[in-house]
Amino acid sequence: MLANEIKITPELVAEHGLKPDEYERILKLIGREPSITELGIFSAMWNEHCSYKSSKVHLKTLPVTGKIVIQGPGENAGVIDIGDGQACVFKMESHNHPSYIEPYQGAATGVGGILRDVFTMGARPIATLNALRFGSPDHPKTRHLVSGVVAGIGGYGNSFGVPTVAGSVGFHSRYDGNILVNAMAVGIADTDKIFYAKATGVGLPVVYLGSKTGRDGIHGATMASAEFGEGAEEKRPTVQVGDPFSEKLLLEACLEIMAKGCVVAIQDMGAAGLTCSAVEMGAKGDLGITLDLEKVPVREEAMTAYEMMLSESQERMLMVLKPGKEAEAESIFKKWGLDFAIVGYTTDTLRFLIRHNGEEMANLPIKELGDQAPEYNRPFTGPKKLPVLDASTVPAPKSLADALEKLVASPDLCSKRWVWEQYDHLILNNTVQRPGGDAAVVRVQDGPKALALSTDVTPRYCEADPFEGGKQAVAECWRNLTAVGATPLAITDNLNFGNPERPEIMGQFVGCIRGIKEACLALNFPVVSGNVSLYNETHGRAILPTPTIGGVGLLADFQNSASIAFKSSGEAILLLGDTRGWLGQSAYLSTIAGKEEGAPPPVDLAAEKRAGDLVRDLIAKGRVTAVHDCSDGGLLVTIAEMAMAGGIGATLELSPGGIPPHAYWFGEDQARYVVTAPALALPEIEAAAKAAGISATRLGLTGGEQLTLPAERPISVAELKKRHESWLPDYMAGKS
Amino acid sequence: MQAAVVLFPGSNREGDVASAIKRISGKAANIVWHGDSDLPSGTDLVVLPGGFSYGDYLRCGAIAARAPIMNAIRAHAERGGLVLGICNGFQILCEAQLLPGVLQRNAQLRFMCKEVYLRVERSDTPFTRRYNAGDVLKIPVAHGEGNYTADKETIERLEGEGRVLFRYVSPEGATDPKWNHNGATNAIAGILSEKLNVLGLMPHPENHVDPLIGPTDGRGLFESIKTVLEAA
């Protein structure tokens, strides 16, 4: 019988983030009062972050299968087949709450955690990406948060030795008290050498690997499952401290031990540390696990069972080894200077038994810990449909040139060079397309195969219409991968929302999921991994709904990839796709008119598919010289970005008929691409577009050093680029 | 040409430099463990690669400089053998006192990964034979602590003896504080030992050798070494 030195009071239950009815469920499940260690274990397993209790019922509706899917959601990361016996392993995960409290370490350990998820499966990481959302630039904490988060991401990835190749950075006052740090890692493994968490075999050693356990991060996952109120900073001790050096050693040691055939099952210690990893390995394999905590390597004295079970110290792994492989595994870990300890064994009892110096501290049914977690189908209300904004009611700018100059230097659309120059994006020598384009292109080993990678979401669309916004996030990711010439394969989703106990927030969540589902089905783009981050609220004010989509695409030969830069003068600029001049929720509307109104642009998924397939085909055949998808800021911003990237101007001749010029040039209609091509190739491209049912519009010619629009003052590309490049460095230096 | 690339805990560009060596010399480099006390026989080039040895948690390179393999490297250098330290490798060479001076935090206090322009100061060295003095190379950097400095006498001596091999310059080859991205004294990017057989530099020539990925201005450095060693 368990000694219960601490009385479990309702206050203690509440402090563990468990609701009274959830505690009742625990009592019913185990038939007695839990020990304090057991209460801690339940709080770790049953919080939102680990149990997905509010989201599971909806996540189940997402398409997760496909010809290329080797492993869908539910493992450390998703796995897809990229041919030639190779698999791509990838996942995205949030570290939002910790990054607000302690930006450097919060972001750093976010990167560390997601890298571990990928190499736990036997894959060597080849790239990381991220998606960051900060509060308004005017908010007093924003500079500090940007500076800390960017340094933290760089600090971890640069030292670990993986290139950070792409990402997105946005600002909005709705993230003032809750920033978003979503990190994605991508790795490569052989398809027949993927490792899983599921343990098999009774009486096998359970091995602890990596760094020592300390008191850092206790209750991190519980903290991440609650709203912020006053005194969020006091939660700083729940943020873990990252050690990329140890993680690099852990990577090398794990891959070596795997290659030697020592490993039956492996699970990284992420959220809820030892608890989550041990339960996962046992429950998935229908086995019990017994742990003797005095064998756990610790770096602080007098740690209790409770603290060890809930510590979120970083850079740790749990493994089940093949019998007789202990000595070989230990020698590899010792070589890398890492801790190695046999801390327990697998059993056939289906119990999760924790002993400390011979004393029983917890004895729980292992399957029920995971399976019997509460599951909620929370009430939700659909948001009110917003009216479609009539473009003629949106004031025109004094001049299109002024508006363009303002847009390319706006916080959301300005160059993010200041950010990505702090990330080593070149290490490993495989970065074919660097940050700043539509998608990163990373060569796989010696090529010619390459992966295209991108993270996308437009939160203001999701706020205005969760369903269309969810569709658009997936479609834009698919489009970005297409724009470099890749065949989009699969996605990971990182769903960031407010408090799911509020029906309107749950409505945003459900709407976005429905939109994601519809787009994934239409574009044959399954979800293979993901993460849900709820309770992103401060004082009852939620973030914009932000379902970040991280996509992976495949290029058979990286030399056939396309990029956004204008390549030479005298080439035709062609728009593929329809323009209606959709200004609702556009960057123009918010930046120039100072309003966020109307319905967001709808996504016609059939048109999206046709346009994308056409563009990919044109790239593969070498018919186009530059390609850029048309998104935030609309057509003119797209062209300006191509001009700035190539250092070549353009003369635009089209005077749109029927649509107000500012709506034509800045509207954010979806499913569009701008391409350039030599004049000779035009008839063929136009014929192909016609056959695909996609409209092709000649916009003008590349050349010169200016962007020239009919009846507008010419805009110097160099001057435009200066504005585009200087907003962020100036802002960070306190100049704007 | 038989290269040995030394692997310290936390090295992370060993693969990049090993593949550049293989690409250019046709011969695979040996990867040598920091805990070993001897170099493989026949080694004629030792490379200390980039990375974050021991996490750079003490001064960069300070712990690695005391690794067992360093004695063998010191002996190799004393015999006139070629030693190339890139980025963290440069920091290690300074900490091991195979090269003078130190590398401080970048003047702007941020890690920087970008392409910079380097001027080759002389071509009569084993590392630059295939360049011309005055050539401007486009090579990437990726470091947070690459701001080279030393006491005044040392700098004067380095300059006087022609031991500054690479300098951060403008695309046209002019020294200009604007292009000295990390604030290094005299815009120094790489220096040589007295006998000109040990080179430490912050930029990464190994990342610019593959025409399919980007510029190839880094090739000359490895081609120079190959030329010298094959003639020997």
Side-chain angles (χ1 to χ4, degrees):
Chain A
M1 184 60 200
L2 284 153
N4 219 359
E5 67 280 25
I6 296 174
K7 175 90 188 122
I8 307 300
T9 61
E11 292 74 35
L12 205 52
V13 170
E15 273 170 33
H16 280 77
L18 291 161
K19 302 268 146 77
D21 57 323
E22 292 175 343
Y23 184 63
E24 285 304 315
R25 201 182 170 93
I26 293 172
L27 292 179
K28 215 170 120 199
L29 188 67
I30 64 174
R32 59 176 166 79
E33 181 177 280
S35 71
I36 184 70
T37 305
E38 289 176 333
L39 184 69
I41 290 172
F42 273 110
S43 94
M45 292 302 298
W46 285 13
N47 64 52
E48 190 67 58
H49 187 82
C50 293
S51 73
Y52 295 91
K53 59 191 170 191
S54 303
S55 56
K56 210 187 261 175
V57 60
H58 303 288
L59 295 176
K60 281 179 194 157
T61 65
L62 290 171
V64 296
T65 54
K67 219 166 64 203
I68 48 107
V69 178
I70 295 175
Q71 175 66 54
E75 272 286 343
N76 281 303
V79 185
I80 58 172
D81 192 332
I82 57 167
D84 308 311
Q86 289 173 316
C88 172
V89 178
F90 67 102
K91 190 184 177 187
M92 180 159 44
E93 204 164 82
S94 63
H95 232 210
N96 304 334
H97 289 76
S99 300
Y100 182 77
I101 296 169
E102 210 300 289
Y104 184 97
Q105 293 297 348
T109 51
V111 175
I114 199 64
L115 283 167
R116 227 157 32 245
D117 278 333
V118 163
F119 71 77
T120 299
M121 301 205 69
R124 183 172 279 280
I126 62 159
T128 62
L129 298 86
N130 53 71
L132 312 177
R133 302 282 157 185
F134 297 100
S136 159
D138 304 330
H139 189 272
K141 285 198 80 167
T142 300
R143 258 189 209 90
H144 158 73
L145 291 167
V146 173
S147 162
V149 164
V150 170
I153 290 174
Y156 207 100
N158 298 345
S159 174
F160 180 84
V162 63
T164 302
V165 295
S168 55
V169 183
F171 298 86
H172 197 284
S173 62
R174 291 279 291 281
Y175 302 102
D176 279 352
N178 285 84
I179 61 169
L180 301 185
V181 174
N182 295 173
M184 172 170 164
V186 182
I188 298 291
D190 290 342
T191 48
D192 58 352
K193 293 195 188 73
I194 309 285
F195 289 82
Y196 297 97
K198 180 181 167 184
T200 50
V202 174
L204 297 183
V206 174
V207 172
Y208 172 112
L209 306 164
S211 297
K212 292 185 192 338
T213 296
R215 290 192 170 91
D216 47 338
I218 291 176
H219 281 315
T222 314
M223 178 266 292
S225 304
E227 294 173 40
F228 281 155
E230 290 298 338
E233 282 79 2
E234 284 168 23
K235 296 189 175 175
R236 198 169 289 135
T238 58
V239 180
Q240 319 86 319
V241 175
D243 175 2
F245 169 61
S246 289
E247 178 124 321
K248 165 78 171 154
L249 304 181
L250 194 58
L251 161 77
E252 299 300 341
C254 282
L255 293 186
E256 199 171 327
I257 219 170
M258 287 165 169
K260 294 263 163 69
C262 301
V263 179
V264 173
I266 176 165
Q267 175 72 31
D268 84 300
M269 294 192 224
L274 196 49
T275 294
C276 240
S277 55
V279 170
E280 198 117 318
M281 287 177 52
K284 280 195 174 140
D286 286 326
L287 293 169
I289 300 262
T290 296
L291 298 178
D292 288 307
L293 295 184
E294 66 279 5
K295 293 179 181 157
V296 171
V298 290
R299 60 176 139 83
E300 294 183 64
E301 280 176 23
M303 284 190 70
T304 64
Y306 176 90
E307 289 169 331
M308 281 192 252
M309 292 311 293
L310 295 184
S311 162
E312 290 191 2
S313 291
Q314 298 286 291
E315 293 88 27
R316 302 180 302 161
M317 292 271 187
L318 210 58
M319 276 187 195
V320 172
L321 287 183
K322 283 190 187 155
K325 291 286 189 183
E326 294 92 330
E328 189 174 3
E330 183 168 7
S331 75
I332 291 170
F333 269 74
K334 289 277 140 79
K335 181 181 102 183
W336 289 100
L338 292 164
D339 270 304
F340 174 99
I342 297 172
V343 295
Y345 49 90
T346 57
T347 68
D348 59 3
T349 62
L350 286 176
R351 303 294 292 181
F352 188 41
L353 176 61
I354 308 299
R355 295 186 300 223
H356 195 200
N357 298 317
E359 195 182 334
E360 197 169 301
M361 306 306 287
N363 189 341
L364 297 169
I366 202 162
K367 302 268 305 171
E368 287 78 357
L369 263 175
D371 298 350
Q372 295 297 311
E375 216 177 292
Y376 299 118
N377 192 349
R378 298 191 187 277
F380 58 89
T381 52
K384 220 169 59 204
K385 279 266 179 202
L386 296 172
V388 174
L389 201 64
D390 178 352
S392 63
T393 65
V394 178
K398 260 211 310 265
S399 86
L400 293 173
D402 290 355
L404 177 65
E405 285 175 348
K406 205 167 163 192
L407 275 167
V408 299
S410 67
D412 278 352
L413 299 184
C414 72
S415 163
K416 300 304 183 307
R417 183 183 301 273
W418 184 91
V419 171
W420 53 256
E421 278 189 347
Q422 295 186 59
Y423 306 148
D424 191 336
H425 49 272
L426 298 175
I427 189 166
L428 306 183
N429 251 348
N430 285 322
T431 311
V432 180
Q433 279 201 41
R434 302 175 189 181
D438 278 327
V441 176
V442 179
R443 183 169 63 173
V444 176
Q445 283 152 8
D446 295 326
K449 191 192 291 177
L451 297 178
L453 308 167
S454 179
T455 60
D456 299 280
V457 61
T458 312
R460 59 181 193 277
Y461 293 176
C462 297
E463 165 88 359
D465 185 335
F467 176 70
E468 285 299 332
K471 273 166 65 183
Q472 196 272 344
V474 175
E476 186 176 347
C477 187
W478 190 84
R479 206 183 301 145
N480 277 326
L481 301 178
T482 295
V484 298
T487 304
L489 295 182
I491 63 169
T492 177
D493 58 3
N494 199 155
L495 310 170
N496 309 274
F497 292 82
N499 181 347
E501 295 162 43
R502 286 169 50 196
E504 65 276 23
I505 300 290
M506 206 55 213
Q508 293 176 342
F509 184 79
V510 173
C512 282
I513 291 264
R514 286 181 182 161
I516 291 169
K517 175 189 169 185
E518 185 150 314
C520 287
L521 287 173
L523 301 172
N524 188 22
F525 205 25
V527 182
V528 296
S529 59
N531 168 245
V532 179
S533 172
L534 302 174
Y535 296 96
N536 291 289
E537 294 203 13
T538 300
H539 300 311
R541 188 161 179 256
I543 58 162
L544 294 177
T546 313
T548 312
I549 303 298
V552 174
L554 184 66
L555 279 145
D557 184 345
F558 69 91
Q559 291 189 75
N560 294 336
S561 76
S563 69
I564 71 168
F566 283 158
K567 302 298 182 300
S568 54
S569 293
E571 293 193 325
I573 305 169
L574 208 59
L575 170 67
L576 300 173
D578 287 326
T579 301
R580 283 188 283 166
W582 195 285
L583 285 178
Q585 299 299 337
S586 63
Y588 175 87
L589 192 67
S590 68
T591 305
I592 308 296
K595 290 187 281 195
E596 290 180 15
E597 287 177 1
V603 182
D604 176 344
L605 292 164
E608 195 72 66
K609 178 98 171 58
R610 290 198 309 273
D613 291 348
L614 167 69
V615 167
R616 208 174 305 110
D617 192 50
L618 292 173
I619 295 170
K621 289 184 176 144
R623 297 294 180 267
V624 285
T625 49
V627 181
H628 194 5
D629 97 298
C630 211
S631 59
D632 272 2
L635 190 50
L636 195 54
V637 168
T638 304
I639 294 167
E641 286 170 347
M642 298 173 84
M644 290 187 287
I648 295 172
T651 304
L652 303 172
E653 283 160 9
L654 189 96
S655 298
I659 302 171
H662 61 298
Y664 184 82
W665 290 110
F666 298 119
E668 295 181 5
D669 302 281
Q670 299 292 299
R672 294 186 302 165
Y673 300 80
V674 174
V675 302
T676 58
L680 276 176
L682 279 184
E684 190 190 333
I685 295 172
E686 284 165 341
K690 195 169 176 201
I694 296 297
S695 60
T697 312
R698 295 186 191 196
L699 297 174
L701 292 175
T702 62
E705 291 173 350
Q706 297 171 326
L707 279 180
T708 313
L709 283 154
E712 282 281 338
R713 69 175 164 89
I715 308 159
S716 150
V717 173
E719 183 56 34
L720 200 63
K721 183 162 180 165
K722 209 169 130 197
R723 288 169 183 269
H724 183 59
E725 291 290 348
S726 59
W727 185 83
L728 191 51
D730 284 354
Y731 169 70
M732 291 309 293
K735 288 189 224 158
S736 61
Chain B
M1 170 172 174
Q2 182 55 63
V5 176
V6 183
L7 185 60
F8 297 95
S11 295
N12 63 23
R13 263 187 166 84
E14 74 281 1
D16 295 16
V17 76
S19 95
I21 287 169
K22 174 86 200 296
R23 175 183 293 274
I24 288 156
S25 74
K27 193 150 183 223
N30 290 311
I31 303 291
V32 176
W33 189 242
H34 64 103
D36 291 352
S37 39
D38 298 306
L39 292 166
S41 65
T43 298
D44 50 17
L45 168 70
V46 174
V47 181
L48 305 185
F52 290 68
S53 57
Y54 295 92
D56 281 352
Y57 293 150
L58 193 58
R59 290 189 316 276
C60 303
I63 301 179
R66 282 142 186 90
I69 194 67
M70 290 307 293
N71 289 328
I73 294 172
R74 194 169 282 113
H76 172 80
E78 275 163 19
R79 286 193 300 271
L82 297 185
V83 179
L84 170 64
I86 304 171
C87 198
N88 194 226
F90 185 14
Q91 295 163 341
I92 295 168
L93 289 174
C94 289
E95 285 288 341
Q97 299 188 351
L98 283 161
L99 290 173
V102 292
L103 294 141
Q104 312 181 94
R105 276 195 84 183
N106 293 350
Q108 82 285 53
L109 304 180
R110 291 193 305 274
F111 185 97
M112 272 292 136
C113 177
K114 62 196 270 191
E115 282 167 336
V116 299
Y117 295 94
L118 299 181
R119 189 174 68 211
V120 179
E121 298 294 70
R122 55 190 284 191
S123 63
D124 57 341
T125 82
F127 303 98
T128 49
R129 192 149 300 204
R130 299 287 289 265
Y131 297 117
N132 293 312
D135 278 358
V136 176
L137 316 177
K138 193 183 198 182
I139 306 274
V141 290
H143 60 246
E145 296 173 71
N147 174 354
Y148 182 82
T149 197
D151 58 72
K152 196 161 158 273
E153 294 73 45
T154 306
I155 297 289
E156 278 169 6
R157 205 173 144 206
L158 286 172
E159 295 285 4
E161 293 172 2
R163 287 162 57 192
V164 174
L165 190 55
F166 298 110
R167 231 183 275 276
Y168 302 114
V169 291
S170 72
E172 295 76 35
T175 48
D176 177 346
K178 216 181 85 189
W179 293 94
N180 180 8
H181 73 101
N182 62 19
T185 302
N186 292 5
I188 291 172
I191 57 166
L192 293 160
S193 63
E194 261 174 70
K195 288 193 282 184
L196 311 186
N197 62 325
V198 179
L199 167 66
L201 79 167
M202 286 314 297
H204 292 282
E206 76 275 25
N207 284 120
H208 270 186
V209 295
D210 183 352
L212 300 179
I213 291 289
T216 54
D217 290 0
R219 289 184 73 98
L221 186 130
F222 299 98
E223 284 166 354
S224 299
I225 296 171
K226 177 174 181 258
T227 307
V228 168
L229 291 178
E230 284 180 357

